[in-house]
Amino acid sequence: MPLTPLFIRDLADEAATGRLAEDLAMILRPGDVIALDGDLGAGKTTLTRALLRTLADDAELEVPSPTFTLAQPYDDLRVPVTHFDLYRLGEPEELEEIGFSEAAETGAVLVEWPERAGDLLPRDTLTLALRPGDGPDAHPDARRAILTADQDGIDAWRNRLSRSFAIRAFLDEAGWGLAARRHLQGDASTRTYERIRRAGETAILMNAPLRPDGPPVRGGKPYSRIAHLAEDVRPFVAIGEALRTHGFSAPALLAHDMEAGLLLLEDLGGRGVLSDGSPDAGRYRAAVEFLAAFHCLVLDDSAPLPDGTVHRIPPYDHGALSIEIDLLADWYVPHVAGAPLDAAAIAEFHALWVPLFDSLEATDRGWVLRDFHSPNLIWLGDRPGNARIGLIDYQDCVIGPKAYDLASLLQDARVTVPEALEADLFAHYVAARGAADPGFDAEAFGRDYAIVAAQRATKVLGIFARLNDRDGKPAYLAHIPRVHAYLMRALKHPVLSALKLWYETHLPTAS
């Protein structure tokens, strides 16, 4: 089947070839096969070296030619890659002998001299042909890159390449087009992040395309709509601008294309609030002080955007709270018990939560950043006061019980916070709130804290099971015992005694 042209990129010099390699590296994933077509000296080695060094984030990574070995694996990259040179391949059938199929199953594959594979390359292979640059004044290293695919891969490659090239164009428009792109670890969502580097400066690229509505799950609405999860970048921009207005350290907005879901942000660095993988008590104390000060503010239920519009902050209402706890029955119970709950148990579960959610409607409410925990906190020790805590994830902000963010921090799903440290930090928060507001009701806040801690742990257990069972991300299973232990802590509060009995009855094997 003939190949269909997707993109033609004119590369003015070797640096431009390197940027194309970066654009490819940003979207590379296991299972990808890229066939590199071109004569000797066409630039295949230059592009391959740049791509591998981008994945390794190592400008000095040694990239030997596999001309004699036929295959050169790079197993320690973000995406494992095997570089094949088929020039010395005797017959196409010898591909199996050199481990091609296994390499393509477990990682990405780059193939030079792909024509020697006959018709044995996967049908969704991307072919990148490098040809000499046009024009009498072209630089000696100028090339024309022609990217093609057959019908089995054309749509997927077009979508992924279009997005990566759109990011490069966005950076160019923002004055960062010649900068280097490097992958940053993403989160459990569809967002991805890159660190952008130029001449000693860095910035963060948030790539958050519009989240498509999922299937309706309740009342004709998708989960994200009911749970009030951000579906575009507008909430992130609005909340971030508001936080900075009040002197908090949300990243400055350097450039934006809100329609495309692209933001260029201030780089707050990589220092977190942990020390050797455990909570740093001093930094956690600063984070608690941040929350106490933040919760003393009287904030509107809306925040302006740079385009003159306004983002309305949704309420953390019954619908959102209840659909989150449903994740336990939908995903966690089948994961640990091997069978779903019966209808009577689910009905009792919901009935027990209703009065608890009712109590949260008439309590200490305000902005809830919702994901205020160690992965999303940056330590900025050279800044004063509450600005020492940098924030990077707040787009799902809602109006709800203020205790939620404290529970998110002190019962961190990914890091064990010892019970004694949790109690000490909780007391420090209560003292700070009481000092600022003589009317602060510490007893009511403690009740709220137990309820939202139990609700959050319930939700997270379901999310982590879903990430494994549906999304193929088993790493999250390692956190389940910790989250279950947090749940048991929260259920000690007398207001949750009936709910505690339900968990003990219906999740006897949970651990």
Side-chain angles (χ1 to χ4, degrees):
M1 185 177 293
L3 298 179
T4 301
L6 292 173
F7 297 95
I8 295 176
R9 314 291 287 183
D10 286 314
L11 311 173
D13 50 28
E14 188 172 305
T17 300
R19 287 191 292 276
L20 174 61
E22 289 180 351
D23 296 345
L24 291 170
M26 292 302 100
I27 61 169
L28 201 66
R29 62 192 184 196
D32 287 345
V33 177
I34 300 179
L36 302 174
D37 177 42
D39 295 333
L40 288 171
K44 301 189 297 296
T45 298
T46 298
L47 187 140
T48 298
R49 183 185 300 115
L51 188 151
L52 293 169
R53 288 178 173 176
T54 296
L55 290 172
D57 195 12
D58 180 358
E60 303 301 323
L61 178 71
E62 186 176 356
V63 182
S65 171
T67 300
F68 294 101
T69 60
L70 298 185
Q72 178 66 45
Y74 298 85
D75 296 328
D76 297 330
L77 307 182
R78 177 179 64 83
V79 178
V81 175
T82 304
H83 179 199
F84 287 91
D85 186 325
L86 305 185
Y87 184 75
R88 296 177 60 249
L89 194 72
E91 298 290 339
E93 289 72 21
E94 293 178 10
L95 274 180
E96 290 307 307
E97 298 176 18
I98 60 175
F100 184 89
S101 293
E102 181 180 356
E105 288 176 1
T106 59
V109 169
L110 305 177
V111 186
E112 294 192 51
W113 303 101
E115 63 274 12
R116 295 186 179 270
D119 59 359
L120 296 185
L121 293 184
R123 291 177 58 83
D124 58 355
T125 295
L126 174 71
T127 297
L128 194 163
L130 290 169
R131 303 289 183 256
D134 288 340
D137 298 326
H139 190 280
D141 293 327
R143 297 290 183 268
R144 168 164 287 190
I146 305 168
L147 296 101
T148 59
D150 68 20
Q151 292 302 312
D152 285 2
I154 189 170
D155 290 337
W157 279 114
R158 178 185 288 117
N159 292 339
R160 292 162 62 196
L161 289 166
S162 294
R163 188 66 181 178
S164 193
F165 293 157
I167 289 172
R168 180 66 72 177
F170 168 72
L171 293 173
D172 188 51
E173 181 70 19
W176 290 70
L178 301 182
R181 300 171 61 185
R182 293 296 183 268
H183 177 81
L184 278 179
Q185 184 173 349
D187 50 25
S189 74
T190 58
R191 294 183 298 274
T192 60
Y193 298 88
E194 300 175 18
R195 177 164 275 122
I196 312 301
R197 301 171 181 162
R198 68 170 186 189
E201 292 182 277
T202 63
I204 300 298
L205 184 283
M206 178 192 286
N207 174 23
L210 179 68
R211 181 205 302 261
D213 283 343
V217 295
R218 184 183 297 171
K221 296 180 180 180
Y223 178 91
S224 61
R225 192 74 55 82
I226 299 169
H228 303 308
L229 301 179
E231 297 181 342
D232 57 33
V233 299
R234 295 169 61 82
F236 182 91
V237 173
I239 300 301
E241 293 294 305
L243 289 168
R244 284 192 298 280
T245 296
H246 289 281
F248 300 122
S249 292
L253 186 64
L254 307 179
H256 64 84
D257 184 337
M258 289 190 288
E259 291 300 316
L262 296 173
L263 304 178
L264 191 64
L265 304 166
E266 174 191 7
D267 186 355
L268 297 181
R271 296 179 67 195
V273 294
L274 305 179
S275 295
D276 298 323
S278 297
D280 182 296
R283 295 177 186 180
Y284 264 64
R285 194 174 182 88
V288 164
E289 292 166 359
F290 167 96
L291 283 178
F294 179 64
H295 290 161
C296 286
L297 297 177
V298 178
L299 300 170
D300 293 335
D301 62 358
S302 62
L305 283 151
D307 62 3
T309 61
V310 171
H311 167 61
R312 300 288 178 185
I313 303 171
Y316 212 178
D317 52 20
H318 268 260
L321 291 164
S322 64
I323 201 167
E324 289 181 339
I325 62 167
D326 281 349
L327 293 169
L328 183 100
D330 294 343
W331 293 97
Y332 181 68
V333 173
H335 177 82
V336 297
L341 288 167
D342 60 52
I346 294 175
E348 181 185 3
F349 182 64
H350 286 156
L352 289 168
W353 278 106
V354 167
L356 300 173
F357 292 160
D358 284 343
S359 72
L360 296 178
E361 292 287 342
T363 190
D364 187 19
R365 295 173 66 84
W367 283 25
V368 173
L369 300 176
R370 210 168 184 178
D371 286 301
F372 192 87
H373 52 179
S374 62
N376 299 328
L377 303 180
I378 305 296
W379 179 247
L380 304 169
D382 57 340
R383 297 190 182 185
N386 292 315
R388 293 175 297 170
I389 299 297
L391 308 170
I392 60 172
D393 190 334
Y394 39 75
Q395 62 278 338
D396 295 327
C397 178
V398 287
I399 304 294
K402 295 177 181 178
Y404 188 93
D405 281 339
L406 188 64
S408 178
L409 175 69
L410 302 187
Q411 293 198 355
D412 192 322
R414 293 169 177 80
V415 177
T416 298
V417 180
E419 193 164 5
L421 179 60
E422 178 188 6
D424 179 68
L425 293 170
F426 180 88
H428 185 58
Y429 173 94
V430 169
R433 286 291 306 276
D437 178 9
F440 175 70
D441 189 337
E443 182 178 350
F445 186 85
R447 179 205 63 209
D448 295 346
Y449 180 88
I451 295 171
V452 296
Q455 190 273 349
R456 179 174 174 80
T458 298
K459 170 183 70 173
V460 172
L461 287 172
I463 289 173
F464 286 173
R466 183 178 66 184
L467 284 165
N468 176 76
D469 298 348
R470 186 193 71 182
D471 302 335
K473 298 179 178 180
Y476 290 91
L477 294 182
H479 304 305
I480 281 181
R482 176 187 304 111
V483 178
H484 185 266
Y486 286 146
L487 176 60
M488 294 301 104
R489 280 189 205 174
L491 291 174
K492 293 177 183 178
H493 195 284
V495 75
L496 300 175
S497 57
L499 192 64
K500 181 175 185 288
L501 179 61
W502 185 94
Y503 279 99
E504 290 173 344
T505 301
H506 296 286
L507 294 180
T509 60
S511 60

